[in-house]
Amino acid sequence: MPKKYVYLFSEGNESMRNLLGGKGANLAEMTNLGMPVPNGFTITTEACTRYYDDGEKIAPEIEEEILRYLDELERITGKKFGDEENPLLVSVRSGARASMPGMMDTILNLGLSERVTAVMAQKSGNPRWAYDCYRRFIQMYSDVVMEVGKEYFEALIAAMKLSRGVEQDVDLTADDLKELAGQFKAEYKAKTGSDFPTEPKDQLLGAVRAVFRSWNNSRAIVYRRENDIPGSWGTAVNVQSMVFGNMSESSGTGVAFTRDPATGARKLYGDYLQNAQGEDVVAGIRTPQPIDQLGEIMPDVYKEFVAIADKLEQHYRDMQDMEFTIENGKLFMLQTRNGKRTPFAALKIAVALVNEGMCTKEEALLKIEARALDALLHPIFEEKALKAAKPIGKGIDASPGAATGHVYFTAEDAVAHAPDGPVLLVRTQTSPEDLAGMYVAQGILTAVGGKASHAAVVARGAGICCVVGCNDLIIRESERNLYINGVTVREGEFMSIDGSTGNVYIGTIPTVDASISDDFSIIMGWADEVRRLKIRTNADTPHDAEVALKFGAEGIGLTRTEHMFFDDDRIPAIREMIVSKTAEQRKVALAKILPFQRDDFIGIFRVMREKPVTIRLLDPPLHEFLPTKEEDIRALAVEMSPLYDGLRKTLTDNGLLVSNDVWERLLYENLNATIDSLHEENPMMGHRGCRLDVSYPEIAEMQSRAIIEAAIAVKKETGIDIVPEIMIPLVCELKELKYVKNLVTGTADAIIAESGVDLKYHVGTMIEIPRAALLADEIATEAEFFSFGTNDLTQMTFGFSRDDAGKFLPEYYDKKILESDPFQRLDQSGVGKLVELGVSLGRSVRPDLKVGICGEHGGDPSSVEFCHRTGLDYVSCSPFRVPIAKLAAAQAAIKSK
Amino acid sequence: MPKKYVYLFSEGNESMRNLLGGKGANLAEMTNLGMPVPNGFTITTEACTRYYDDGEKIAPEIEEEILRYLDELERITGKKFGDEENPLLVSVRSGARASMPGMMDTILNLGLSERVTAVMAQKSGNPRWAYDCYRRFIQMYSDVVMEVGKEYFEALIAAMKLSRGVEQDVDLTADDLKELAGQFKAEYKAKTGSDFPTEPKDQLLGAVRAVFRSWNNSRAIVYRRENDIPGSWGTAVNVQSMVFGNMSESSGTGVAFTRDPATGARKLYGDYLQNAQGEDVVAGIRTPQPIDQLGEIMPDVYKEFVAIADKLEQHYRDMQDMEFTIENGKLFMLQTRNGKRTPFAALKIAVALVNEGMCTKEEALLKIEARALDALLHPIFEEKALKAAKPIGKGIDASPGAATGHVYFTAEDAVAHAPDGPVLLVRTQTSPEDLAGMYVAQGILTAVGGKASHAAVVARGAGICCVVGCNDLIIRESERNLYINGVTVREGEFMSIDGSTGNVYIGTIPTVDASISDDFSIIMGWADEVRRLKIRTNADTPHDAEVALKFGAEGIGLTRTEHMFFDDDRIPAIREMIVSKTAEQRKVALAKILPFQRDDFIGIFRVMREKPVTIRLLDPPLHEFLPTKEEDIRALAVEMSPLYDGLRKTLTDNGLLVSNDVWERLLYENLNATIDSLHEENPMMGHRGCRLDVSYPEIAEMQSRAIIEAAIAVKKETGIDIVPEIMIPLVCELKELKYVKNLVTGTADAIIAESGVDLKYHVGTMIEIPRAALLADEIATEAEFFSFGTNDLTQMTFGFSRDDAGKFLPEYYDKKILESDPFQRLDQSGVGKLVELGVSLGRSVRPDLKVGICGEHGGDPSSVEFCHRTGLDYVSCSPFRVPIAKLAAAQAAIKSK
């Protein structure tokens, strides 16, 4: 039997969503439920993928099948395509598996020709309606099928209104509209070189092709990428006989939700527009009435609609978003689907549905989009104020929330002015040296960079609102002002940014604080009941740890020990350590760092108490900590001069040092040469991670000492059994891990023995180099736990530098080579294969191996689902993503049942 | 039964080499052959690895076993350790599985004490001999076992000679030596804090420990790394009763080869030293006699020795290197092993052994070290002249051969002076801009860089002698001279370099040209008979291709299309292409490059004829081609100005352009900004390879056009069926490969159709990104062949940047984390796992998939063996490594039988 590419609504049902698309499946379901749905048929998503496989052509057998179903539709409706007496008019609408509102194309009133319109005008007694339909159809068809831009037609309408001396479209008469239709067709011919098609079957096939084509228009591609919808799914096409909301005063059209999509409140919510077609509602030219007023205008129809709405919500067990049309007092349902809602409403509705007995907790959990929780955890702009505000520019939404503050252009200024009021740090880009300024800011705005840039990563970790890559922004740091799209903003003036949309505003916009509702806690509780994955957090400070605990983190999966190295009171010692030329010099510097590191860990252990804490040894390339400006290098040289006192004395004693200037120049040139020698061509694959410990064992020893001494101190202080997990980064070889592990255990065991305290600790490793994943069975003989560092693993597996890939990846999306950013969403087929391999090899030699991930992916729902399926023990993410990860972990557990 | 750690010589045999080490196994074999071998026993290599596993301790049961065998030795010899009447003295020598001459430690005369020496002095009637033995023993033991430096003892000997007014050691009397022994023991006590051990069993165990320890001394580690010997093997220890070549005038010691190790000629070759111990021969203090003079001194002994030598060569079926000692007219064999030989001799001997019927061709092939062939293909210094020359410095041996030439410091100067005589290009480091100067040079010397540096890679590819990383070299380009260890060399003066040793010389040293001998051709012929792997070459020019063909290359595995981009007549167009801002500009520039590229390929196809040629599309990051100096950027800006003629006219017409200076500044700043925007943090993982084609499809189109038009032209010209293989680099995803392949096939098919010529071509891909190897089953659906780019694959799999790893890898060798440079020798466990995975996944969907490698590893014998085992079809290497690869491939085939 050949494959079936077309289904009547009555042949389908809800479960056929993959084949019929969401809209088609629901139209079929409503048809089967006996609801008033205009007749029609659906051309499947497989026809769409076939269209692309065949080189953007509809195969002859599919074309024939479509026309066969058109005949059937004519038979059912008793109308005929192109018939003057009883013409069949249809709408042609896209409908993918997942809802993609407004992303693809729709054509209404298909089947009209001049002759049919004339008859329709006469028979209906409403010629204005008939010609309005006709000119709309020409306009839509030209736009959608032939890609003749809308603007030409809008210009013709504007010219007609001017010549008739009227202001509104509705003031144009039937004759005006008829004349316009003629002008439209002339315009069509001028632009396309051929006559406007009069044969309805040609129109239909053209429209179907246009809908297929629209699956790959640029806004659909962008929408899919942002919503994780695979490009391979394709769209279905729904062909439905027209009903007309614009036929009379007892006609109309509307959209409604069974609950308030903004608040989740249980009441019918929507708009109704009398004597209009659907596109008028969408276009927003006329102001619609609230849906409940329909009860006064047409009480019976309203009652019927309310009953259908209730039935649909009961049937789908979720809040519904419906479209309907009333034609001369008769109600027709054109669409129903699970309604989009705000994150706030999503929680409210989920809890309500369970309380009302409409679904189980597990079903309710699946109705909430995990990533949307982000928005509930941060301040947002007041809705009304936001509507009134006009963005001056747009960047990339890097970290959610809303921020208003005085603009400052350097980290120092931000720190200095933070006590006087909210601060917005605006920079071309940020670097680790800006950390202090970033932490005091309400928001961070940068001119360059993407979602993986330094500003974005730090901001998300700290829950600070952040917009990056705002290309229109020109920062003139020396003049203490910025310029954006014609406006100059001086230091200290107000700007606002929306980290959830990327919008940038001049002036202040009032914000509303995040408030974790009761519903939020209930949902988190349900998630905790079903999930298997543990959720840890990436936290570098006691404060981060506290925030994460508040959100329910069950441990720390990653503490970056270098994170606090930039504090003013530490950086001199760090730099001294880095430029040391002997192990002795290095030990002197490390001894200065030790108390700081120990205090960091004491603070973290105190907060986390008995919960596990994984601390990673020093990871980044050392030159990140070094000064680059000449003045800073000179200052560091002077700071370090005591190390050379002996040499200086010798020089002086021999009469070789005549002035202090010469001495300082000597020191400066020496230091400068050292800094130069640390330069690397590809620092990401250079001297970093445990490679530093192999070169300078005293670093691992100092850090191990700080960790173990801190654990002992907190254990003594609180009596709680602290069990630190010490993690060795960037391992690529068993013997390398062994070498560094020996440094750790040698130091740790000696301190523990000396202290007389019974302290346990674990030593494990990051798996972030492909070779470590490939040889995980060897690595696991020494590692007590694995933590997949999927950021670096993604870099090495793809050969994509995070710092540079932003320049060429957009072409990869445009050309559909990649569907999403592998640094945001774990590449399950490639990087995921290494993760799976690493887990199974590791557990093959150490069955109780604890395995987690601590890359940015730990807060991405689809990646969390992968981690669940792969049998990981935990994911670790930034504090503000802990709730997302918990929900995603619960959803993964439910789906895998 | 407990493991046996000690074997009498009579218990072992040749086949137990892994357990007994080479020396021990051969001593056992000679013993079994009934040859005069002093009795003894061997402590196994397993005892050594156990020693390290136990934390550098000899386990009690092994200690006991050693002492039990000592008793047995006493029983067999009838002598007793420490006995005054009939003392047993032994030598303790290391002996690993593979020969590591001079790398580990030896102790002679063990068992002596003051009392024993006194008795021995008396009984032998030769007190000088006895005390000489004694002081030698104290000296060796102190040095080897207790690490009290030799220099202290040498100083005492020197002082004694001074006080006695003599010049030679042999002029010291028995009393002098006795006094010296006393001084030595005092020195020992001063340095170690304890008395010199008098108990022979303590001495023995100390010596065994010292030999075990010497397995990991730094020169042994370096030797192993350079000779691919695993650190895990360990060394055996041979304990053998002493015989004394220094007992009388009818005593002596010597070493001999059964054939001349330099020429391979069939005659006994070696040295004999009368009345001496072995160490005197090695130390070179006294001049030995040629071995045949022994025939005159002791004809019977000589006859016996010649017979033994013949028997040993027959027995081992290879040239032997033997040590012997004559004690009072009686011959003792102390060692035999397959002798080291020059590459020239290796070929000669292998052919001779087959001709003499002593072994088969396959056995003969296995006797030649593949990598040593390198030395036969390049000029070398005249042996005598080289011995007389003293190196002024040393760098890294980057490309073999010898070169003498006038020193020049820039590529331009090298090119300018090349017609006047041989040129040595000396630079701090080279870059692609220096290529022209590199190609005309006899040799290249750089101050920085390692074996993977630009200079090294280019030189090896072109067969040019090269020394890199000569740290003592200070080049003062602006002053046109260089400074090295106290000597200044001016431009135009002579220097010489040895690319096989890294030595650097002032002045000229005569060279001898490479000559491919008949033996070489015979051996290559035998290799061709047995190998399965095809050997291709990496060649970018017709000249490279010709050289490789001469060496027997069977095709080209890699043509780097960018290689010739630096020619003066091309680089402007390349740069114009790179800084183009629109596809149109880029096409204009590419059109200028097309004829050059086409000519390159025509030249290569003409040389290679029907042999396969794989051409890789543009690979490196574009900024490599851009100028970095301001003056060069200005020049390029002016060159490109015609592109902006229209804009200039508009500005001029509007009176906005008042001077040419302003215009040039505008162009310069614009270009400068473009160049800045191409900067990358990690260019190795940045915008390169097929990523360039995704961004700029017109590049792939131009290159495909050049290849196909060239193939058509050569096919028309010669009638030969040219079948180009077009290779897409840096692929990480099937859809990416598809996209670029479509560009290639679209262009190629159109040109072929238009030409009317029936031309086939293949499109394949590099597998050099881990993800491509992991997903090779997907990639193979589109790729007709795979070529593993093991350079990049090694970078990504380890996360090691080739440019930077040189800074930290030496620590990895020192700490025994890595045993060899993974960029020189393929990492079989990690990178190799990806290669195996890639091959098996690829062939699972395309059973006839052609698979090769084209990284630097293609010329490394152990990597070639891996490629054979993994079922690759071919390896591709630089032209001068083709013979090495052929022999290695043959050896792999023989071994796997």
Side-chain angles (χ1 to χ4, degrees), chain A residues 676-687 690-691 693-697 732-733 735-736 739 769-772 774-775 777-778 795-801 803-804 807-808 811-812 815-819 827 829-831 833-834 837 841, chain B residues 676-687 690-691 693-697 732-733 735-736 739 769-772 774-775 777-778 795-801 803-804 807-808 811-812 815-819 827 829-831 833-834 837 841:
Chain A
D676 276 355
S677 74
L678 287 168
H679 168 80
E680 293 182 306
E681 292 297 318
N682 297 284
M684 200 59 82
M685 301 196 290
H687 200 190
C690 68
R691 298 166 195 176
D693 301 314
V694 171
S695 301
Y696 313 122
C732 71
E733 157 65 38
K735 291 203 276 294
E736 182 186 41
Y739 178 83
I769 297 279
R771 193 173 189 274
L774 291 165
L775 300 176
D777 45 352
E778 294 183 9
Q795 291 200 103
M796 309 290 170
T797 306
F798 276 93
F800 286 167
S801 156
D803 298 313
D804 306 306
K807 283 186 198 160
F808 58 83
E811 289 277 354
Y812 274 64
K815 292 175 173 161
K816 296 192 287 159
I817 293 170
L818 291 179
E819 292 199 336
D827 159 49
S829 56
V831 178
K833 195 164 181 176
L834 278 180
L837 196 65
L841 286 176
Chain B
D676 276 354
S677 74
L678 287 169
H679 169 80
E680 292 182 306
E681 292 297 320
N682 297 286
M684 201 57 84
M685 301 196 292
H687 199 189
C690 68
R691 298 166 193 174
D693 301 314
V694 171
S695 302
Y696 314 123
C732 71
E733 157 64 39
K735 292 205 275 294
E736 183 186 40
Y739 179 83
I769 298 279
R771 194 174 189 273
L774 291 164
L775 300 176
D777 45 351
E778 294 183 8
Q795 290 200 103
M796 310 289 172
T797 305
F798 276 92
F800 286 167
S801 156
D803 298 314
D804 306 308
K807 284 187 197 161
F808 58 83
E811 288 279 352
Y812 273 64
K815 290 173 175 163
K816 296 192 287 161
I817 293 169
L818 290 180
E819 294 200 333
D827 160 51
S829 57
V831 178
K833 197 165 179 173
L834 279 180
L837 197 65
L841 287 175

Side-chain angles (χ1 to χ4, degrees), chain B residues 607-648:
Chain B
V607 172
M608 297 303 293
R609 303 178 62 91
E610 67 289 335
K611 293 195 167 62
V613 174
T614 306
I615 298 172
R616 179 179 72 183
L617 299 185
L618 188 66
D619 185 57
L622 296 181
H623 56 70
E624 282 194 7
F625 300 102
L626 292 180
T628 51
K629 290 188 204 143
E630 187 183 318
E631 63 199 75
D632 295 339
I633 298 174
R634 283 193 190 282
L636 178 59
V638 171
E639 254 166 39
M640 290 188 60
S641 64
L643 291 176
Y644 297 94
D645 276 352
L647 178 59
R648 183 178 195 171

Side-chain angles (χ1 to χ4, degrees), chain B residues 651-711:
Chain B
L651 287 172
T652 310
D653 291 352
N654 285 281
L656 287 170
L657 205 60
V658 290
S659 84
N660 196 46
D661 280 3
V662 173
W663 175 239
E664 289 193 356
R665 203 179 114 202
L666 261 181
L667 291 179
Y668 166 72
E669 286 178 0
N670 168 51
L671 180 59
N672 216 10
T674 306
I675 292 175
D676 276 354
S677 74
L678 287 169
H679 169 80
E680 292 182 306
E681 292 297 320
N682 297 286
M684 201 57 84
M685 301 196 292
H687 199 189
R688 50 178 287 238
C690 68
R691 298 166 193 174
L692 297 171
D693 301 314
V694 171
S695 302
Y696 314 123
E698 46 285 356
I699 295 179
E701 286 164 355
M702 181 281 284
Q703 294 202 297
S704 303
R705 172 171 294 276
I707 295 167
I708 297 298
E709 288 181 351

Side-chain angles (χ1 to χ4, degrees), chain A residues 370-371 373-374 377-378 397-400 451 456 460-461 463 524 535-537 547-548 551 823-825 855-861 864 875-888:
Chain A
R371 76 173 65 210
L373 292 185
D374 226 1
L377 307 173
H378 300 87
D397 49 321
S399 178
K451 286 193 177 184
R460 277 199 300 277
M524 285 296 115
I535 311 299
R536 296 198 191 180
T537 190
V547 171
F551 288 133
F823 293 109
Q824 299 295 320
R825 189 183 185 200
E856 284 276 309
H857 301 104
D860 169 70
V864 171
V875 301
S876 187
C877 56
S878 59
F880 283 84
R881 286 192 165 179
V882 166
I884 298 174
K886 288 176 106 176
L887 180 53

Side-chain angles (χ1 to χ4, degrees), chain B residues 39 70-81 83 85-89 123 241:
Chain B
N39 286 302
L70 183 61
D71 291 346
E72 180 70 10
L73 187 59
E74 288 177 338
R75 198 188 55 73
I76 295 171
T77 58
K79 296 178 178 178
K80 271 199 113 56
F81 233 28
D83 189 277
E85 284 309 305
N86 198 12
L88 173 63
L89 300 187
K123 287 183 73 165
S241 58

Side-chain angles (χ1 to χ4, degrees), chain B residues 410-425:
Chain B
T410 67
E412 293 72 30
D413 288 338
V415 171
H417 291 92
D420 313 331
V423 161
L424 200 68
L425 179 64

